[in-house]
Amino acid sequence: MKAIRRFTVRTVLPAALQDLDELAHNLRWSWHGPTRDLFESLDPALWASVKADPVALLGALSPEKLAALAGDAELVDRVRAEAAGLRTYLTEPRWYQGAGDDLPAAVAYFSPEFGITKVLPQYSGGLGILAGDHLKSASDLGVPIVGVGLLYGAGYFVQSLTRDGWQVEDYPLLDPDGMPITLVREDDGTPATVSIALPAGRTLHAHVWMAAVGRVPLLLLDSNIPDNDDLARKVTDRLYGGGGEHRLQQELLLGVGGVRALRLWSRLTGAPEPEVYHTNEGHAGFLGVERVAELVAQHGLGVDEALEAVRSATVFTTHTPVPAGIDRFGVDTISQYFGGDNEIAGVPLDRILALGAEDYEGGDPTVFNMAVMGLRLGGRANGVSLLHGEVSRGMFNGLWPGFDGSEVPISSITNGVHAPTWVDRRVSELAESRFTPAELEGATGWLNPDAISDAELWAVRRELRAQTVEDARARLRKSWRKRGASPAELGWVDEALSPDVLTIGFARRVPTYKRLTLMLRDPDRLRALLLDPERPVQLIIAGKSHPADDQGKRLIQQLVKFTDDPAVRHRIVFLPNYDIGMAQTLYPGCDVWLNNPLRPLEACGTSGMKAALNGGLNLSILDGWWDEWFDGENGWAIPTADGVEDADRRDDLEAAALYDLIESQVAQRFYDRGEDGTPQHWLQQVRHTLATLGPKVQATRMVEDYVRRLYAPAAVAGRALHGSGYAGAKDLAGWKATVRSDWSQVRVDHVESAGLGESPQVGDRLAVRAYVSLGALSPSDVDVQVVHGKVSESDEMSSFETQSLEVTETYENGRFAFGGEVVLDFSGAFGYTVRIVPRHTGLANVAELGLVANA
């Protein structure tokens, strides 16, 4: 019989064990081994059955068991000690508290998904895992971030396979009361609620849940509440589960509702309101609209003034290298939500539509682009690797016409991963027991064979490989049972994979560009690698395709059919339902991590970082983070067939290169053993990887970069515009309006040069004099620049520097002469030009207005 209602009855803990509830509801346990050890010690068998979920464990312990535990004085002391340790962690000064002045009092971090732990399944892939690692590392560093997201009733989906290898999606409902989150309540105990007006007089309400991610509160909005009609209750039903208006309403709730949730959180807790707002991808872009509306309504600012105040303190991170990865909505649909009866007082619909308008060459005037809005509302923007920043500047160059691609205001901060989450404890504890504090911090201890011998390191690597093999067999057996196989058919699973065979891992989402099946381009050659009698290779593969992506599902099916072949199924497996739990066992046990996207479509690709932190070597296309940090000794770069336009031909060439590398270098080196039975050259690469990549791929490094390069400057800029009744914002908005209206009169009339002989030499000085017309603008409004650098035969300057010229003479009718000198500091072909750009202390970058007058 089916229940008509379900709820969770909470455990009443004995007084001596009350601290367990605090420990269970702070997600620090997900990366703090001693706390997990404590929970496991309460009942090891039960801990395993609840899949290492502290809240579920406490709920499953019987009153008799709890009473017995409360009577164990040694255990009670451990509980109190761990609780005291947590409280110290939550309150003691950390890196941020000594990082300098001018840092923001609080930063709001918006993301549509957060991958914190497998028991809080609110993520689909890399974007969410990155967001989770961002919050965890911010907590470890003491950065005062507050996360903002949505609470999805069914998360993403649970993946399984049919007998013929087709992906099947299941959406088990999640019970918030059974998860490590807390409902935010008003002072009178009622649930705190945010509300958003929808078209046709409807209203979307949401409760706010809080997940404690160490020191960081993560606010999650939930629309599945009685106050909503049936359609509104489904807004947060699942992650990326719908398109069109369903997706739009999710993004409205995330952006607009998220800002309102922050205001509610500050009111109820006294937490400082954020000085900086960071939107992780364009999904949360409407947060800027809500903040503009606040300033218009509460402070009487005009729209232009409010936009400047909002932009100054907003950071936008783009994660996609392809236009198809950006959310775009019809202009008519956006008009329904922000026009008519829903129009925001003082914020006309046309001003909102302009934020997301593709009003540039090649754009579509019928759509509203969320990434474009993110860039227009973000005073500072970045990609997530050096190469991705370059790709993004090219992709969005149309927003800044007249500027070279290198000047498009999108910087780069390369992603990182949270080491305590992803490094196996055998690796971290071995290092902690043998290295000095300085060696630990710089990871240099790995280069010292006297601290950890090759034999010890190789033994640990085998233990990790064996752990991965054991877990893979269990998952493989479970998958086959779901596919309809009987136990009698599955005896072969006990022999699948081996802890002594070179193990290559490949796990990620399955969009076409990640090329899940590149390894299958030549099936016979792959079989030969897998079954080599002397140097065999084994592959462990995992990944989910978006439910609406039938092409991705076909790729999975193609791969699964290959892995089902009895001749190779002991050497290659596909494991369904790739998630955090699988990843934490898979990464450490892989000797090599494979990544073969279509370059340059991998924005960053952090899975290889997690493998590297465990001593795995990367075998990857030079894309994302690998493009900047591959050094020839930390793995292998798969050659790319750049310039080959035939997609099939390109795949054939790159697959052949992959096979060649595995056969002639990777496998050969892995099986080349010394007298002590260890592969010395291989272990040299492992040590080099741990020592050199270890410090770089840390998410703490990434968050420190965000603090120094984006958050602190955004906070300073925000304060400059917000102070004295937003006088700075008013001044900047008025100045921009003047410059825009008068820019048509700005031009470079004539350029003269002098000072060089017939054979210029390094060190000579080029005198440049530019005659310009500024119309109604004054010289203080502009920067007249010499742009100079090396030139090609076609006079293109691929890289250049700029030098400002000074006013030397003033003429009638807004005409001026500017002059200055350029020192020739390199040999070879030299070129220069002159341009005029706007200048104001409130501008974050030279291209901000998209205005330039070139000679």
Side-chain angles (χ1 to χ4, degrees), residues 16-47:
L17 301 178
Q18 281 294 322
D19 287 336
L20 286 173
D21 188 67
E22 180 182 2
L23 291 168
H25 280 82
N26 191 301
L27 292 172
R28 181 189 180 231
W29 62 256
S30 68
W31 71 90
H32 189 249
T35 305
R36 294 197 304 277
D37 292 344
L38 170 63
F39 281 113
E40 183 177 17
S41 71
L42 302 181
D43 190 324
L46 189 57
W47 176 252

PDB file of all heavy atoms in Angstrom, residues 16-47:
ATOM      1  N   ALA A  16      24.536  13.267  26.390  1.00  0.00           N
ATOM      2  CA  ALA A  16      25.982  13.086  26.257  1.00  0.00           C
ATOM      3  C   ALA A  16      26.437  13.054  24.811  1.00  0.00           C
ATOM      4  O   ALA A  16      27.619  13.249  24.531  1.00  0.00           O
ATOM      5  CB  ALA A  16      26.409  11.794  26.963  1.00  0.00           C
ATOM      6  N   LEU A  17      25.499  12.790  23.894  1.00  0.00           N
ATOM      7  CA  LEU A  17      25.839  12.670  22.472  1.00  0.00           C
ATOM      8  C   LEU A  17      25.235  13.788  21.623  1.00  0.00           C
ATOM      9  O   LEU A  17      25.216  13.696  20.398  1.00  0.00           O
ATOM     10  CB  LEU A  17      25.368  11.310  21.937  1.00  0.00           C
ATOM     11  CG  LEU A  17      25.937  10.070  22.619  1.00  0.00           C
ATOM     12  CD1 LEU A  17      25.330   8.806  22.016  1.00  0.00           C
ATOM     13  CD2 LEU A  17      27.461  10.036  22.498  1.00  0.00           C
ATOM     14  N   GLN A  18      24.751  14.838  22.264  1.00  0.00           N
ATOM     15  CA  GLN A  18      24.090  15.915  21.526  1.00  0.00           C
ATOM     16  C   GLN A  18      25.000  16.522  20.461  1.00  0.00           C
ATOM     17  O   GLN A  18      24.540  16.966  19.399  1.00  0.00           O
ATOM     18  CB  GLN A  18      23.643  17.013  22.490  1.00  0.00           C
ATOM     19  CG  GLN A  18      22.361  16.694  23.243  1.00  0.00           C
ATOM     20  CD  GLN A  18      21.155  16.617  22.319  1.00  0.00           C
ATOM     21  OE1 GLN A  18      21.023  17.388  21.376  1.00  0.00           O
ATOM     22  NE2 GLN A  18      20.268  15.666  22.587  1.00  0.00           N
ATOM     23  N   ASP A  19      26.297  16.550  20.721  1.00  0.00           N
ATOM     24  CA  ASP A  19      27.221  17.154  19.762  1.00  0.00           C
ATOM     25  C   ASP A  19      27.248  16.417  18.429  1.00  0.00           C
ATOM     26  O   ASP A  19      27.690  16.974  17.417  1.00  0.00           O
ATOM     27  CB  ASP A  19      28.640  17.186  20.345  1.00  0.00           C
ATOM     28  CG  ASP A  19      28.797  18.228  21.439  1.00  0.00           C
ATOM     29  OD1 ASP A  19      28.011  19.188  21.448  1.00  0.00           O
ATOM     30  OD2 ASP A  19      29.705  18.078  22.280  1.00  0.00           O
ATOM     31  N   LEU A  20      26.802  15.165  18.409  1.00  0.00           N
ATOM     32  CA  LEU A  20      26.788  14.419  17.151  1.00  0.00           C
ATOM     33  C   LEU A  20      25.889  15.084  16.121  1.00  0.00           C
ATOM     34  O   LEU A  20      26.155  15.019  14.913  1.00  0.00           O
ATOM     35  CB  LEU A  20      26.327  12.978  17.392  1.00  0.00           C
ATOM     36  CG  LEU A  20      27.335  12.042  18.061  1.00  0.00           C
ATOM     37  CD1 LEU A  20      26.673  10.701  18.389  1.00  0.00           C
ATOM     38  CD2 LEU A  20      28.553  11.837  17.177  1.00  0.00           C
ATOM     39  N   ASP A  21      24.809  15.715  16.575  1.00  0.00           N
ATOM     40  CA  ASP A  21      23.911  16.374  15.635  1.00  0.00           C
ATOM     41  C   ASP A  21      24.612  17.540  14.948  1.00  0.00           C
ATOM     42  O   ASP A  21      24.493  17.728  13.732  1.00  0.00           O
ATOM     43  CB  ASP A  21      22.651  16.865  16.360  1.00  0.00           C
ATOM     44  CG  ASP A  21      21.607  17.395  15.393  1.00  0.00           C
ATOM     45  OD1 ASP A  21      21.064  16.594  14.614  1.00  0.00           O
ATOM     46  OD2 ASP A  21      21.357  18.614  15.400  1.00  0.00           O
ATOM     47  N   GLU A  22      25.363  18.321  15.726  1.00  0.00           N
ATOM     48  CA  GLU A  22      26.120  19.429  15.139  1.00  0.00           C
ATOM     49  C   GLU A  22      27.162  18.904  14.154  1.00  0.00           C
ATOM     50  O   GLU A  22      27.337  19.449  13.054  1.00  0.00           O
ATOM     51  CB  GLU A  22      26.806  20.233  16.245  1.00  0.00           C
ATOM     52  CG  GLU A  22      27.629  21.411  15.721  1.00  0.00           C
ATOM     53  CD  GLU A  22      28.346  22.166  16.818  1.00  0.00           C
ATOM     54  OE1 GLU A  22      28.249  21.756  18.006  1.00  0.00           O
ATOM     55  OE2 GLU A  22      29.016  23.168  16.513  1.00  0.00           O
ATOM     56  N   LEU A  23      27.854  17.834  14.519  1.00  0.00           N
ATOM     57  CA  LEU A  23      28.864  17.263  13.634  1.00  0.00           C
ATOM     58  C   LEU A  23      28.247  16.717  12.356  1.00  0.00           C
ATOM     59  O   LEU A  23      28.831  16.830  11.269  1.00  0.00           O
ATOM     60  CB  LEU A  23      29.626  16.148  14.362  1.00  0.00           C
ATOM     61  CG  LEU A  23      30.546  16.590  15.501  1.00  0.00           C
ATOM     62  CD1 LEU A  23      31.008  15.395  16.321  1.00  0.00           C
ATOM     63  CD2 LEU A  23      31.747  17.348  14.944  1.00  0.00           C
ATOM     64  N   ALA A  24      27.061  16.132  12.452  1.00  0.00           N
ATOM     65  CA  ALA A  24      26.404  15.554  11.279  1.00  0.00           C
ATOM     66  C   ALA A  24      25.877  16.616  10.339  1.00  0.00           C
ATOM     67  O   ALA A  24      25.815  16.400   9.124  1.00  0.00           O
ATOM     68  CB  ALA A  24      25.263  14.632  11.715  1.00  0.00           C
ATOM     69  N   HIS A  25      25.483  17.765  10.890  1.00  0.00           N
ATOM     70  CA  HIS A  25      24.869  18.802  10.065  1.00  0.00           C
ATOM     71  C   HIS A  25      25.851  19.861   9.588  1.00  0.00           C
ATOM     72  O   HIS A  25      25.437  20.823   8.933  1.00  0.00           O
ATOM     73  CB  HIS A  25      23.701  19.455  10.813  1.00  0.00           C
ATOM     74  CG  HIS A  25      22.445  18.637  10.753  1.00  0.00           C
ATOM     75  ND1 HIS A  25      22.215  17.575  11.588  1.00  0.00           N
ATOM     76  CD2 HIS A  25      21.375  18.692   9.915  1.00  0.00           C
ATOM     77  CE1 HIS A  25      21.055  17.025  11.297  1.00  0.00           C
ATOM     78  NE2 HIS A  25      20.527  17.686  10.287  1.00  0.00           N
ATOM     79  N   ASN A  26      27.120  19.705   9.899  1.00  0.00           N
ATOM     80  CA  ASN A  26      28.123  20.554   9.254  1.00  0.00           C
ATOM     81  C   ASN A  26      28.903  19.678   8.289  1.00  0.00           C
ATOM     82  O   ASN A  26      29.546  18.705   8.689  1.00  0.00           O
ATOM     83  CB  ASN A  26      29.069  21.198  10.269  1.00  0.00           C
ATOM     84  CG  ASN A  26      29.923  22.276   9.614  1.00  0.00           C
ATOM     85  OD1 ASN A  26      30.665  22.012   8.671  1.00  0.00           O
ATOM     86  ND2 ASN A  26      29.805  23.506  10.091  1.00  0.00           N
ATOM     87  N   LEU A  27      28.852  20.035   7.017  1.00  0.00           N
ATOM     88  CA  LEU A  27      29.393  19.171   5.978  1.00  0.00           C
ATOM     89  C   LEU A  27      30.911  19.107   5.971  1.00  0.00           C
ATOM     90  O   LEU A  27      31.493  18.441   5.105  1.00  0.00           O
ATOM     91  CB  LEU A  27      28.878  19.635   4.613  1.00  0.00           C
ATOM     92  CG  LEU A  27      27.378  19.430   4.420  1.00  0.00           C
ATOM     93  CD1 LEU A  27      26.891  20.079   3.143  1.00  0.00           C
ATOM     94  CD2 LEU A  27      27.036  17.960   4.418  1.00  0.00           C
ATOM     95  N   ARG A  28      31.541  19.721   6.956  1.00  0.00           N
ATOM     96  CA  ARG A  28      32.984  19.537   7.074  1.00  0.00           C
ATOM     97  C   ARG A  28      33.339  18.060   7.208  1.00  0.00           C
ATOM     98  O   ARG A  28      34.427  17.637   6.808  1.00  0.00           O
ATOM     99  CB  ARG A  28      33.509  20.323   8.273  1.00  0.00           C
ATOM    100  CG  ARG A  28      35.028  20.197   8.464  1.00  0.00           C
ATOM    101  CD  ARG A  28      35.428  20.822   9.776  1.00  0.00           C
ATOM    102  NE  ARG A  28      36.864  20.752  10.028  1.00  0.00           N
ATOM    103  CZ  ARG A  28      37.390  20.294  11.158  1.00  0.00           C
ATOM    104  NH1 ARG A  28      36.606  19.846  12.122  1.00  0.00           N
ATOM    105  NH2 ARG A  28      38.695  20.286  11.342  1.00  0.00           N
ATOM    106  N   TRP A  29      32.414  17.251   7.763  1.00  0.00           N
ATOM    107  CA  TRP A  29      32.705  15.816   7.895  1.00  0.00           C
ATOM    108  C   TRP A  29      33.025  15.181   6.540  1.00  0.00           C
ATOM    109  O   TRP A  29      33.743  14.173   6.467  1.00  0.00           O
ATOM    110  CB  TRP A  29      31.559  15.067   8.573  1.00  0.00           C
ATOM    111  CG  TRP A  29      30.236  15.095   7.846  1.00  0.00           C
ATOM    112  CD1 TRP A  29      29.153  15.845   8.171  1.00  0.00           C
ATOM    113  CD2 TRP A  29      29.856  14.332   6.688  1.00  0.00           C
ATOM    114  NE1 TRP A  29      28.119  15.630   7.289  1.00  0.00           N
ATOM    115  CE2 TRP A  29      28.527  14.688   6.373  1.00  0.00           C
ATOM    116  CE3 TRP A  29      30.485  13.389   5.899  1.00  0.00           C
ATOM    117  CZ2 TRP A  29      27.837  14.143   5.287  1.00  0.00           C
ATOM    118  CZ3 TRP A  29      29.805  12.845   4.811  1.00  0.00           C
ATOM    119  CH2 TRP A  29      28.497  13.223   4.525  1.00  0.00           C
ATOM    120  N   SER A  30      32.505  15.781   5.450  1.00  0.00           N
ATOM    121  CA  SER A  30      32.701  15.161   4.138  1.00  0.00           C
ATOM    122  C   SER A  30      34.146  15.244   3.675  1.00  0.00           C
ATOM    123  O   SER A  30      34.545  14.521   2.762  1.00  0.00           O
ATOM    124  CB  SER A  30      31.768  15.803   3.102  1.00  0.00           C
ATOM    125  OG  SER A  30      32.140  17.147   2.833  1.00  0.00           O
ATOM    126  N   TRP A  31      34.945  16.129   4.289  1.00  0.00           N
ATOM    127  CA  TRP A  31      36.370  16.182   3.938  1.00  0.00           C
ATOM    128  C   TRP A  31      37.273  16.090   5.171  1.00  0.00           C
ATOM    129  O   TRP A  31      38.481  16.277   5.071  1.00  0.00           O
ATOM    130  CB  TRP A  31      36.693  17.437   3.128  1.00  0.00           C
ATOM    131  CG  TRP A  31      36.671  18.766   3.818  1.00  0.00           C
ATOM    132  CD1 TRP A  31      37.725  19.378   4.444  1.00  0.00           C
ATOM    133  CD2 TRP A  31      35.587  19.699   3.917  1.00  0.00           C
ATOM    134  NE1 TRP A  31      37.362  20.607   4.916  1.00  0.00           N
ATOM    135  CE2 TRP A  31      36.054  20.851   4.597  1.00  0.00           C
ATOM    136  CE3 TRP A  31      34.262  19.687   3.482  1.00  0.00           C
ATOM    137  CZ2 TRP A  31      35.246  21.945   4.871  1.00  0.00           C
ATOM    138  CZ3 TRP A  31      33.451  20.783   3.747  1.00  0.00           C
ATOM    139  CH2 TRP A  31      33.935  21.892   4.431  1.00  0.00           C
ATOM    140  N   HIS A  32      36.684  15.748   6.315  1.00  0.00           N
ATOM    141  CA  HIS A  32      37.468  15.637   7.546  1.00  0.00           C
ATOM    142  C   HIS A  32      37.434  14.185   8.027  1.00  0.00           C
ATOM    143  O   HIS A  32      36.446  13.731   8.602  1.00  0.00           O
ATOM    144  CB  HIS A  32      36.913  16.576   8.613  1.00  0.00           C
ATOM    145  CG  HIS A  32      37.774  16.688   9.831  1.00  0.00           C
ATOM    146  ND1 HIS A  32      37.406  16.191  11.055  1.00  0.00           N
ATOM    147  CD2 HIS A  32      39.016  17.230  10.020  1.00  0.00           C
ATOM    148  CE1 HIS A  32      38.357  16.431  11.944  1.00  0.00           C
ATOM    149  NE2 HIS A  32      39.345  17.057  11.339  1.00  0.00           N
ATOM    150  N   GLY A  33      38.525  13.476   7.776  1.00  0.00           N
ATOM    151  CA  GLY A  33      38.579  12.051   8.067  1.00  0.00           C
ATOM    152  C   GLY A  33      38.280  11.675   9.502  1.00  0.00           C
ATOM    153  O   GLY A  33      37.518  10.723   9.750  1.00  0.00           O
ATOM    154  N   PRO A  34      38.846  12.361  10.516  1.00  0.00           N
ATOM    155  CA  PRO A  34      38.572  11.976  11.899  1.00  0.00           C
ATOM    156  C   PRO A  34      37.094  12.020  12.267  1.00  0.00           C
ATOM    157  O   PRO A  34      36.623  11.188  13.052  1.00  0.00           O
ATOM    158  CB  PRO A  34      39.385  12.998  12.705  1.00  0.00           C
ATOM    159  CG  PRO A  34      40.525  13.362  11.803  1.00  0.00           C
ATOM    160  CD  PRO A  34      39.931  13.369  10.427  1.00  0.00           C
ATOM    161  N   THR A  35      36.343  12.982  11.710  1.00  0.00           N
ATOM    162  CA  THR A  35      34.910  13.032  12.005  1.00  0.00           C
ATOM    163  C   THR A  35      34.201  11.836  11.377  1.00  0.00           C
ATOM    164  O   THR A  35      33.320  11.224  12.002  1.00  0.00           O
ATOM    165  CB  THR A  35      34.299  14.350  11.495  1.00  0.00           C
ATOM    166  OG1 THR A  35      35.006  15.451  12.039  1.00  0.00           O
ATOM    167  CG2 THR A  35      32.835  14.458  11.894  1.00  0.00           C
ATOM    168  N   ARG A  36      34.572  11.486  10.156  1.00  0.00           N
ATOM    169  CA  ARG A  36      33.971  10.293   9.532  1.00  0.00           C
ATOM    170  C   ARG A  36      34.338   9.032  10.315  1.00  0.00           C
ATOM    171  O   ARG A  36      33.506   8.130  10.490  1.00  0.00           O
ATOM    172  CB  ARG A  36      34.419  10.174   8.074  1.00  0.00           C
ATOM    173  CG  ARG A  36      33.902  11.286   7.181  1.00  0.00           C
ATOM    174  CD  ARG A  36      34.005  10.920   5.707  1.00  0.00           C
ATOM    175  NE  ARG A  36      35.362  10.567   5.305  1.00  0.00           N
ATOM    176  CZ  ARG A  36      36.295  11.451   4.974  1.00  0.00           C
ATOM    177  NH1 ARG A  36      36.010  12.758   5.030  1.00  0.00           N
ATOM    178  NH2 ARG A  36      37.507  11.068   4.611  1.00  0.00           N
ATOM    179  N   ASP A  37      35.582   8.967  10.806  1.00  0.00           N
ATOM    180  CA  ASP A  37      35.985   7.812  11.615  1.00  0.00           C
ATOM    181  C   ASP A  37      35.112   7.693  12.858  1.00  0.00           C
ATOM    182  O   ASP A  37      34.741   6.588  13.274  1.00  0.00           O
ATOM    183  CB  ASP A  37      37.449   7.946  12.031  1.00  0.00           C
ATOM    184  CG  ASP A  37      38.407   7.825  10.854  1.00  0.00           C
ATOM    185  OD1 ASP A  37      37.983   7.334   9.787  1.00  0.00           O
ATOM    186  OD2 ASP A  37      39.579   8.240  11.006  1.00  0.00           O
ATOM    187  N   LEU A  38      34.812   8.836  13.468  1.00  0.00           N
ATOM    188  CA  LEU A  38      33.972   8.831  14.668  1.00  0.00           C
ATOM    189  C   LEU A  38      32.606   8.249  14.358  1.00  0.00           C
ATOM    190  O   LEU A  38      32.106   7.371  15.081  1.00  0.00           O
ATOM    191  CB  LEU A  38      33.844  10.257  15.218  1.00  0.00           C
ATOM    192  CG  LEU A  38      32.815  10.453  16.335  1.00  0.00           C
ATOM    193  CD1 LEU A  38      33.203   9.645  17.575  1.00  0.00           C
ATOM    194  CD2 LEU A  38      32.689  11.934  16.688  1.00  0.00           C
ATOM    195  N   PHE A  39      31.968   8.728  13.291  1.00  0.00           N
ATOM    196  CA  PHE A  39      30.642   8.214  12.945  1.00  0.00           C
ATOM    197  C   PHE A  39      30.702   6.724  12.610  1.00  0.00           C
ATOM    198  O   PHE A  39      29.826   5.950  13.010  1.00  0.00           O
ATOM    199  CB  PHE A  39      30.050   9.002  11.780  1.00  0.00           C
ATOM    200  CG  PHE A  39      29.473  10.332  12.186  1.00  0.00           C
ATOM    201  CD1 PHE A  39      30.050  11.518  11.774  1.00  0.00           C
ATOM    202  CD2 PHE A  39      28.349  10.398  12.995  1.00  0.00           C
ATOM    203  CE1 PHE A  39      29.525  12.745  12.150  1.00  0.00           C
ATOM    204  CE2 PHE A  39      27.810  11.617  13.378  1.00  0.00           C
ATOM    205  CZ  PHE A  39      28.403  12.797  12.957  1.00  0.00           C
ATOM    206  N   GLU A  40      31.726   6.304  11.889  1.00  0.00           N
ATOM    207  CA  GLU A  40      31.840   4.889  11.533  1.00  0.00           C
ATOM    208  C   GLU A  40      31.978   4.014  12.777  1.00  0.00           C
ATOM    209  O   GLU A  40      31.435   2.904  12.839  1.00  0.00           O
ATOM    210  CB  GLU A  40      33.035   4.678  10.613  1.00  0.00           C
ATOM    211  CG  GLU A  40      33.181   3.240  10.141  1.00  0.00           C
ATOM    212  CD  GLU A  40      34.321   3.060   9.163  1.00  0.00           C
ATOM    213  OE1 GLU A  40      35.189   3.951   9.091  1.00  0.00           O
ATOM    214  OE2 GLU A  40      34.359   2.018   8.477  1.00  0.00           O
ATOM    215  N   SER A  41      32.681   4.542  13.785  1.00  0.00           N
ATOM    216  CA  SER A  41      32.904   3.748  14.997  1.00  0.00           C
ATOM    217  C   SER A  41      31.620   3.509  15.789  1.00  0.00           C
ATOM    218  O   SER A  41      31.558   2.594  16.606  1.00  0.00           O
ATOM    219  CB  SER A  41      33.935   4.446  15.891  1.00  0.00           C
ATOM    220  OG  SER A  41      33.400   5.619  16.490  1.00  0.00           O
ATOM    221  N   LEU A  42      30.588   4.324  15.553  1.00  0.00           N
ATOM    222  CA  LEU A  42      29.323   4.126  16.272  1.00  0.00           C
ATOM    223  C   LEU A  42      28.692   2.788  15.918  1.00  0.00           C
ATOM    224  O   LEU A  42      28.103   2.113  16.768  1.00  0.00           O
ATOM    225  CB  LEU A  42      28.348   5.267  15.965  1.00  0.00           C
ATOM    226  CG  LEU A  42      28.806   6.690  16.298  1.00  0.00           C
ATOM    227  CD1 LEU A  42      27.718   7.698  15.952  1.00  0.00           C
ATOM    228  CD2 LEU A  42      29.202   6.809  17.765  1.00  0.00           C
ATOM    229  N   ASP A  43      28.790   2.403  14.643  1.00  0.00           N
ATOM    230  CA  ASP A  43      28.256   1.123  14.180  1.00  0.00           C
ATOM    231  C   ASP A  43      28.773   0.899  12.764  1.00  0.00           C
ATOM    232  O   ASP A  43      28.152   1.342  11.791  1.00  0.00           O
ATOM    233  CB  ASP A  43      26.725   1.133  14.195  1.00  0.00           C
ATOM    234  CG  ASP A  43      26.126  -0.258  13.961  1.00  0.00           C
ATOM    235  OD1 ASP A  43      26.705  -1.026  13.159  1.00  0.00           O
ATOM    236  OD2 ASP A  43      25.089  -0.567  14.571  1.00  0.00           O
ATOM    237  N   PRO A  44      29.931   0.231  12.611  1.00  0.00           N
ATOM    238  CA  PRO A  44      30.551   0.100  11.289  1.00  0.00           C
ATOM    239  C   PRO A  44      29.644  -0.523  10.239  1.00  0.00           C
ATOM    240  O   PRO A  44      29.618  -0.067   9.094  1.00  0.00           O
ATOM    241  CB  PRO A  44      31.781  -0.772  11.565  1.00  0.00           C
ATOM    242  CG  PRO A  44      32.108  -0.499  13.005  1.00  0.00           C
ATOM    243  CD  PRO A  44      30.786  -0.313  13.682  1.00  0.00           C
ATOM    244  N   ALA A  45      28.895  -1.547  10.601  1.00  0.00           N
ATOM    245  CA  ALA A  45      28.024  -2.205   9.616  1.00  0.00           C
ATOM    246  C   ALA A  45      26.903  -1.268   9.184  1.00  0.00           C
ATOM    247  O   ALA A  45      26.565  -1.169   7.992  1.00  0.00           O
ATOM    248  CB  ALA A  45      27.451  -3.489  10.201  1.00  0.00           C
ATOM    249  N   LEU A  46      26.320  -0.564  10.151  1.00  0.00           N
ATOM    250  CA  LEU A  46      25.246   0.380   9.830  1.00  0.00           C
ATOM    251  C   LEU A  46      25.778   1.540   9.005  1.00  0.00           C
ATOM    252  O   LEU A  46      25.122   2.010   8.073  1.00  0.00           O
ATOM    253  CB  LEU A  46      24.600   0.887  11.125  1.00  0.00           C
ATOM    254  CG  LEU A  46      23.322   1.724  10.983  1.00  0.00           C
ATOM    255  CD1 LEU A  46      22.248   0.956  10.235  1.00  0.00           C
ATOM    256  CD2 LEU A  46      22.821   2.146  12.361  1.00  0.00           C
ATOM    257  N   TRP A  47      26.980   2.006   9.325  1.00  0.00           N
ATOM    258  CA  TRP A  47      27.624   3.089   8.567  1.00  0.00           C
ATOM    259  C   TRP A  47      27.761   2.703   7.095  1.00  0.00           C
ATOM    260  O   TRP A  47      27.472   3.497   6.200  1.00  0.00           O
ATOM    261  CB  TRP A  47      28.973   3.389   9.191  1.00  0.00           C
ATOM    262  CG  TRP A  47      29.834   4.404   8.498  1.00  0.00           C
ATOM    263  CD1 TRP A  47      30.967   4.156   7.786  1.00  0.00           C
ATOM    264  CD2 TRP A  47      29.656   5.831   8.460  1.00  0.00           C
ATOM    265  NE1 TRP A  47      31.512   5.337   7.307  1.00  0.00           N
ATOM    266  CE2 TRP A  47      30.730   6.381   7.716  1.00  0.00           C
ATOM    267  CE3 TRP A  47      28.707   6.695   8.995  1.00  0.00           C
ATOM    268  CZ2 TRP A  47      30.869   7.743   7.487  1.00  0.00           C
ATOM    269  CZ3 TRP A  47      28.848   8.064   8.770  1.00  0.00           C
ATOM    270  CH2 TRP A  47      29.906   8.573   8.022  1.00  0.00           C
TER     271      TRP A  47
END
